[in-house]
Amino acid sequence: MIDDETRTDAVEVLRDLLEWQLSPRRWDRVQPLVDALADALAAGDGDGVRAVTAELELSGPVRITRIGATPVIPAPPRTRDQANHLIHSLGVPPPQDANHGGVIVTPGGDDDAGPGEQSH
């Protein structure tokens, strides 16, 4: 059985994954985890989903990039498509703003600074 918290955690890491920039070798290590997550979800294996979700969280980008490091790229098409499919199959709605009941919107561009914020 897969509980709501497990579903939400899986969706959050999959949404994050869609924004990651990793080296091709690291994407090669992420894809089997996405496959394993799909298998655990299909089997209704809550423990498996939690374990793979944790592994995916740890597979995300690091904040420090070494000089001369391999260039990073967005998720390969297969990984992106599979992550999107899993997000939709889990059926978790976007996060809601508890105070206003609307979808939370985060700034996404140079001109999106909110009141009292400066664009960088």
Side-chain angles (χ1 to χ4, degrees), residues 87-113:
I87 289 167
H88 291 291
S89 71
L90 286 164
V92 177
Q96 299 288 313
D97 179 346
N99 295 325
H100 300 94
V103 174
I104 296 172
V105 177
T106 57
D110 292 338
D111 298 338
D112 290 342

Side-chain angles (χ1 to χ4, degrees), residues 36-108:
L37 180 59
D39 292 344
L41 287 167
D45 177 6
D47 290 337
V49 171
R50 283 186 287 280
V52 176
T53 298
E55 286 293 318
L56 274 171
E57 288 173 345
L58 295 173
S59 298
V62 293
R63 297 226 179 245
I64 299 172
T65 303
R66 290 180 294 197
I67 295 173
T70 304
V72 294
I73 59 173
R78 176 175 179 244
T79 305
R80 177 174 288 285
D81 291 345
Q82 190 174 20
N84 277 319
H85 174 75
L86 292 172
I87 289 167
H88 291 291
S89 71
L90 286 164
V92 177
Q96 299 288 313
D97 179 346
N99 295 325
H100 300 94
V103 174
I104 296 172
V105 177
T106 57

